[in-house]
């Protein structure tokens, strides 16, 4: 475990009469790349604002290393923020925006010039130094915001969806650039995104949040392969989530069949949620002995690398991602292996996620009335 | 294009009729004598009133500075107040403006007179009387009182537009409240300062009612001088026009300097501080 640099202890935050964060505990290690991931309005920005000092929690404490900083004002915290809405200084040009923090600290002019130019180069804005920030595109403004925060050499950098305004290519570039910077300088990054792919590919640790509470903390591989509950399974990647019964340790019953499983500790005959990732399911002929369940294909969508196939198995719609093709109406068998089956304890989220029936109905509707667009699929 | 021209036509006519033509007339009178012959005599004569010019600019500048110093904090407080209260506060600032200008100034006369309300109050609590009316101070007071809303309103409107997240960004980058004000809030409110200063300074420099009513004979301002040339004993429209013209040029120069200051602020940014 890394030396902790930021610790949030039992934080509670109420904004406008609404409890935004509840009993929030998080320890961030020095030099770690932590991502807060969750749906809109779940409190990600609020967590960053609490760390940055813009919100004083109603209860709980914030620590910087060993030191309690709950009541330390923002300008005295060795933390810098890249704000969700950039918040650039409109009365200053690009150069002066980036130089702002260094001027406050009273750095020497030639040092400022050197750093600003380095930063401009890093965010790919060479030659823009004298431009007014109002004349920049959203993506350029976002990059100025990144440069402005990094120029300050913070111990901890808080990034509130810093790449959301960039196009796909620039976004990928900036992702690897940020990751490179983070590793080179060894700054702790607390990164907010609601893009799960971004979260998985960049972070050391992913914190999945919903409704102001942490649902799971873990490495990207952990949260993907071993989601703690139906919410996490559904939010990260696609998941078929089925009702199952843990017959005994290492034996689970799901979809009318018993499977060997890698999970234990749920007791005997315990109701559980079972996650099966769409890419882990193989299509086999119904007659094949490998077929665990069989169903009728209700929709096939071409996704580039693979097909996304919805299969109706006795009323429960499964999603399968496979490079094999199938036709709508085909009866196919699905083959599962114990490795593919992940068992989760029941939670408030059980039964709310993981059935693709609404999804496939929409697709079906769209096909029937082919003139109309299925825009909310 | 054609359409644009049509839409602009009424304004063009208006501007020609009520701005260009009168200005032309002022210039014409300024450079002619009573018989209508060209002369520089009027302009040359203006020089002898330089003390009046200086006094006007001086008192106008003081009134503007006082308005700025009093108006800025108030505008700031209003802009930071919770939104539901803001409109009520703005209303309070504007309320006196709905009363007649003359009436307001008369009211100050009765307050400041040697036997006025304020002195009555002073004697009532056993303090000596103060001579307030007919002093330069009374004139400045009248200017500030009458024109301060014109300072507060533009300041308020730029200050409310400052995004709170920009202030947070400055704090985040290490600025304490003093630096946040000096490096972010004040420079960002510069356009409001400029227009507030303009809107107070210009009428203050050219006022004549305030100085007449509160300043007595000893505080003659350019406005009074011009007034006298057109309506008063010293009837001389040609000289009056010349004074007006010079006043206009002086105001233009002052505004030019003001705007220069604003530009400098924007380009130099934090370097000034
Ligand atoms: N100043 C405020 N007053 C009242 N409620 C607020 C305030 N700021 C945030 N909230 C509420 O707190 C909740 C969490 O907000 P927050 O900004 O932290 O969400 P988020 O996870 O960052 O969402 P997004 O991904 O959309 O940025 C939301 O329900 C929001 O409406
Ligand atoms: Mg947010």
């Amino acid at each position: 475990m890394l030396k902790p640099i930021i610790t949030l202890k039992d934080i509670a935050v109420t904004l406008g009469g609404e409890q935004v964060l509840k009993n929030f505990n998080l320890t961030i290690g020095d030099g770690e790349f932590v991502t807060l991931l969750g749906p809109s309005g779940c409190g990600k920005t609020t967590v960053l604002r609490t760390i940055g000092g813009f919100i004083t929690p109603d209860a709980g404490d914030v620590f910087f290393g060993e030191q309690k900083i709950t009541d330390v004002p923002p300008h005295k915290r060795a933390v810098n923020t890249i704000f969700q809405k950039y918040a650039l200084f409109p009365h200053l040009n690009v150069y002066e925006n980036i130089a702002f923090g260094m001027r406050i600290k009273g750095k020497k002019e030639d040092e400022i010039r050197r750093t600003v130019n380095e930063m401009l180069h890093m965010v790919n804005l060479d030659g823009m130094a004298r431009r007014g920030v109002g004349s920049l595109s959203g993506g350029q403004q976002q990059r100025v915001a990144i440069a402005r925060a990094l120029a300050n050499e913070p111990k901890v950098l808080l990034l509130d969806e810093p790449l959301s305004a960039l196009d796909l290519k620039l976004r990928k570039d900036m992702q690897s650039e940020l990751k490179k910077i983070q590793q080179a300088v060894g700054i702790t990054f607390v990164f907010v995104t609601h893009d799960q792919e971004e979260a998985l590919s960049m972070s050391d640790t992913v914190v999945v949040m919903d409704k102001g509470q942490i649902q799971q903390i873990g490495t990207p591989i952990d949260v993907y392969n071993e989601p703690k509950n139906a919410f996490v399974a559904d939010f990260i990647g696609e998941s078929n989530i089925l009702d199952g019964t843990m017959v005994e340790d290492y034996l689970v019953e799901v979809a009318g069949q018993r499977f060997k499983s890698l999970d234990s500790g749920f007791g005997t005959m315990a109701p559980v949620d079972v996650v099966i990732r769409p890419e882990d399911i193989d299509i086999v002929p119904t007659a094949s002995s490998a077929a665990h369940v069989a169903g009728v294909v209700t929709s096939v969508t071409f996704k580039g690398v693979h097909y996304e196939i919805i299969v109706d198995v006795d009323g429960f719609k499964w999603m399968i991602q496979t490079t094999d093709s199938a036709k709508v109406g085909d009866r196919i068998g699905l083959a599962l292996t114990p490795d593919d089956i992940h068992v989760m304890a029941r939670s408030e989220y059980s039964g709310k996620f993981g059935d693709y029936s609404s999804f496939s109905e929409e697709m079906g509707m769209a096909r029937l009335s082919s003139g109309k667009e299925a825009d909310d699929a | 294009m054609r359409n644009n021209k049509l839409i602009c036509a009424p304004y063009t006519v208006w501007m020609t009729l009520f701005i260009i033509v009168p200005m032309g007339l002022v210039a014409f009178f300024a450079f002619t004598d009573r018989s209508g012959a060209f002369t520089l005599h009027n302009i040359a004569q203006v020089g002898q009133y330089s003390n009046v010019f200086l006094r006007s600019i001086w008192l106008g500048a003081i009134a503007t500075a006082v308005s700025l110093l009093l108006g800025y904090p108030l505008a700031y407080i209003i802009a930071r107040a919770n939104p539901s209260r803001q409109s009520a506060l703005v209303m309070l600032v504007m309320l006196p403006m709905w009363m007649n200008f003359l009436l307001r100034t008369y009211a100050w006369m009765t307050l400041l007179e040697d036997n006025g309300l304020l002195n009555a109050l002073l004697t009532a609590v056993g303090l000596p009387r103060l001579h307030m009316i007919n002093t330069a101070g009374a004139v400045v007071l009248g200017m500030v009182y009458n024109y301060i809303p014109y300072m507060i309103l533009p300041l308020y409107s730029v200050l409310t537009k400052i995004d709170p997240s920009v202030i947070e960004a400055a704090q985040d980058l290490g600025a304490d409240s003093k630096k946040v004000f000096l490096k972010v809030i004040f420079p960002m409110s510069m356009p409001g300062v400029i227009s507030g200063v303009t809107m107070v300074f210009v009428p203050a420099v050219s006022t004549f009612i305030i100085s007449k009513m509160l300043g007595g004979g000893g505080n003659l301002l350019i406005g009074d001088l011009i007034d006298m040339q057109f309506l008063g004993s010293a009837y001389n429209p040609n000289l009056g026009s010349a004074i007006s013209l010079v006043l206009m040029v002086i105001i233009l120069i002052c505004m030019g300097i003001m705007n220069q200051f604003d530009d400098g602020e924007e380009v130099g940014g934090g370097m000034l501080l």
Side-chain angles (χ1 to χ4, degrees):
Chain A
M1 186 64 200
L2 297 162
K3 201 163 73 84
I5 187 153
I6 295 282
T7 309
L8 298 177
K9 203 165 171 305
D10 301 326
I11 298 286
V13 173
T14 309
L15 294 173
E18 184 195 351
Q19 179 115 47
V20 178
L21 295 181
K22 283 164 250 182
N23 193 21
F24 198 93
N25 285 288
L26 179 63
T27 303
I28 296 164
D30 196 0
E32 201 176 4
F33 193 125
V34 177
T35 299
L36 305 180
L37 180 64
S40 187
C42 72
K44 305 181 295 293
T45 298
T46 307
V47 174
L48 290 197
R49 289 172 62 78
T50 307
I51 299 174
F54 299 107
I55 290 177
T56 311
D58 302 331
D61 280 307
V62 184
F63 294 87
F64 187 89
E66 301 287 301
Q67 187 201 352
K68 188 161 116 179
I69 56 165
T70 318
D71 298 315
V72 174
H75 69 271
K76 289 193 183 146
R77 297 191 182 192
V79 167
N80 281 130
T81 311
I82 296 170
F83 291 86
Q84 192 162 5
K85 290 180 290 177
Y86 327 137
L88 299 178
F89 304 118
H91 61 297
L92 301 177
N93 62 23
V94 170
Y95 185 98
E96 289 301 328
N97 260 279
I98 299 174
F100 190 91
M102 289 184 282
R103 289 209 194 285
I104 296 276
K105 291 208 189 85
K107 292 265 169 72
K108 287 214 185 60
E109 202 58 39
D110 54 334
E111 188 189 344
I112 292 177
R113 192 176 326 115
R114 195 161 9 92
T115 313
V116 172
N117 286 331
E118 261 169 43
M119 291 297 147
L120 281 170
H121 183 69
M122 184 194 73
V123 295
N124 229 327
L125 289 174
D126 297 287
M128 299 262 199
R130 299 292 156 197
R131 290 271 294 273
V133 291
S135 70
L136 302 178
S137 73
Q140 289 168 334
Q141 292 186 20
Q142 210 160 42
R143 283 179 281 154
V144 175
I146 292 171
R148 182 179 69 176
L150 280 172
N152 244 19
E153 298 176 343
K155 289 255 179 51
V156 177
L157 187 61
L158 312 175
L159 307 94
D160 201 348
E161 306 196 26
L163 307 179
S164 58
L166 308 184
D167 64 65
L168 191 64
K169 168 144 174 32
L170 196 54
R171 190 181 177 120
K172 296 273 179 225
D173 288 351
M174 286 303 297
Q175 280 177 6
S176 58
E177 197 58 50
L178 281 177
K179 185 77 194 161
K180 228 172 17 196
I181 293 163
Q182 191 259 338
Q183 281 163 342
V185 195
I187 313 175
T188 307
F189 271 34
V190 186
F191 190 94
V192 162
T193 180
H194 48 226
D195 178 344
Q196 42 119 347
E197 195 186 314
E198 194 165 275
L200 296 180
S201 63
M202 295 177 78
S203 351
D204 300 321
T205 304
V206 177
V207 178
V208 185
M209 293 174 56
D210 185 42
K211 295 184 200 143
Q213 281 175 313
I214 295 178
Q215 301 299 326
Q216 185 166 6
I217 303 179
T219 63
I221 295 175
D222 282 349
V223 288
Y224 188 84
N225 286 342
E226 280 157 36
K228 272 221 181 98
N229 60 34
F231 174 82
V232 178
D234 181 75
F235 196 77
I236 302 198
E238 299 286 351
S239 311
N240 299 292
I241 303 173
L242 297 96
D243 289 344
T245 308
M246 203 66 191
V247 179
E248 58 192 58
D249 282 357
Y250 311 111
L251 187 68
V252 64
E253 185 178 299
V254 65
Q257 315 233 353
R258 291 190 173 190
F259 292 92
K260 269 194 283 175
S261 126
L262 303 172
D263 303 283
S264 62
F266 292 92
T268 54
M269 295 313 283
V272 289
D273 288 337
V274 176
V275 184
I276 302 167
R277 295 286 185 187
E279 70 273 19
D280 289 337
I281 303 171
D282 291 323
I283 296 182
V284 292
T286 40
S288 158
S289 60
H292 293 105
V293 290
V296 180
V297 175
T298 62
S299 119
V300 178
T301 315
F302 179 60
K303 288 281 179 180
V305 185
H306 58 256
Y307 292 95
E308 203 164 80
I309 299 173
I310 305 293
V311 183
D312 185 337
V313 179
D314 303 329
F316 186 93
K317 308 260 169 100
W318 294 57
M319 178 189 278
I320 301 164
Q321 291 168 348
T322 171
T323 48
D324 303 331
S325 184
K327 282 200 299 293
V328 174
D330 281 358
R331 208 178 149 69
I332 56 172
L334 310 182
L336 316 167
T337 53
D339 280 5
D340 307 334
I341 293 172
H342 171 67
V343 179
M344 305 179 301
R346 283 284 164 92
S347 68
E348 56 171 315
Y349 298 104
S350 297
K352 285 194 190 154
F353 300 108
D355 174 8
Y356 287 91
S357 48
S358 58
F359 182 88
S360 78
E361 265 157 29
E362 275 163 27
M363 301 305 266
M365 299 275 281
R367 251 196 343 276
L368 286 174
S369 53
S370 55
K372 239 172 69 184
E373 274 190 43
D375 47 4
D376 52 355
Chain B
M1 276 312 284
R2 194 159 273 266
N3 251 339
N4 262 344
K5 260 192 190 153
L6 263 179
I7 292 169
C8 289
Y11 303 101
T12 317
V13 171
W14 173 275
M15 281 181 31
T16 317
L17 226 66
F18 296 108
I19 297 175
I20 311 275
V21 171
M23 294 247 282
L25 283 175
V26 169
F28 174 77
F29 276 112
F31 288 104
T32 52
D33 59 22
R34 268 168 216 226
S35 61
F38 176 81
T39 175
L40 288 175
H41 181 70
N42 300 320
I43 301 286
Q45 252 192 313
V46 174
Q48 74 194 61
Y49 299 109
S50 56
N51 60 331
V52 181
F53 272 88
L54 282 177
R55 187 186 302 123
S56 295
I57 292 170
W58 176 237
L59 293 186
I62 292 178
T64 308
V66 172
S67 302
L68 181 62
L69 287 178
L70 292 178
Y72 201 106
L74 183 59
Y76 189 79
I77 290 166
I78 299 177
R80 290 275 158 271
N82 84 39
S84 57
R85 205 172 307 159
Q86 282 187 20
S87 41
L89 289 171
V90 172
M91 184 82 95
L92 276 178
V93 169
M94 300 209 313
L95 208 58
M97 289 165 72
W98 298 352
M99 226 182 312
N100 183 283
F101 183 92
L102 275 175
L103 211 64
R104 274 182 283 160
T105 313
Y106 264 121
W108 273 113
M109 257 172 98
T110 56
L111 283 173
L112 299 177
E113 267 168 0
D114 288 341
N115 300 316
L117 258 159
L118 280 176
N119 273 321
L121 214 71
L122 284 178
T123 38
V125 296
L127 289 170
R129 283 165 187 269
L130 279 178
H131 177 63
M132 290 176 286
I133 195 80
N134 300 343
T135 61
V139 176
V140 170
L141 176 74
M143 290 173 173
V144 171
Y145 179 78
N146 279 308
Y147 300 127
I148 202 170
Y150 300 105
M151 180 64 84
I152 295 170
L153 292 179
L155 282 173
Y156 162 76
S157 83
V158 288
L159 286 171
T160 41
K161 282 200 204 87
I162 296 180
D163 184 350
S165 73
V166 172
I167 292 167
E168 286 187 352
Q171 293 173 333
D172 188 75
L173 293 165
D176 54 24
S177 16
K178 190 175 134 215
K179 286 209 167 115
V180 168
F181 180 77
L182 288 177
K183 298 198 140 206
V184 179
I185 298 174
F186 188 69
M188 279 180 76
S189 66
M190 221 39 206
V193 173
I194 300 283
S195 63
V197 164
T198 310
M199 284 165 66
V200 172
F201 183 69
V202 173
V205 164
S206 51
T207 184
F208 62 100
I209 290 288
I210 295 173
S211 45
K212 213 183 209 170
M213 289 167 70
L214 302 176
N219 290 290
L220 195 72
L221 298 186
I222 311 173
D224 305 304
L225 206 56
I226 298 171
D227 180 44
M228 273 157 57
Q229 308 309 317
F230 287 94
L231 300 171
S233 46
Y235 184 75
N236 184 353
N238 301 86
L239 179 59
S241 299
I243 298 171
S244 303
L245 209 62
V246 172
L247 176 61
M248 214 161 74
V249 170
I250 288 174
I251 289 175
L252 274 177
I253 292 170
C254 289
M255 291 305 111
I257 293 170
M258 230 11 237
N259 285 325
Q260 213 55 43
F261 182 64
D262 182 38
D263 290 349
E265 186 79 4
E266 220 155 289
V267 174
M271 288 174 182
L272 272 178
L273 296 164

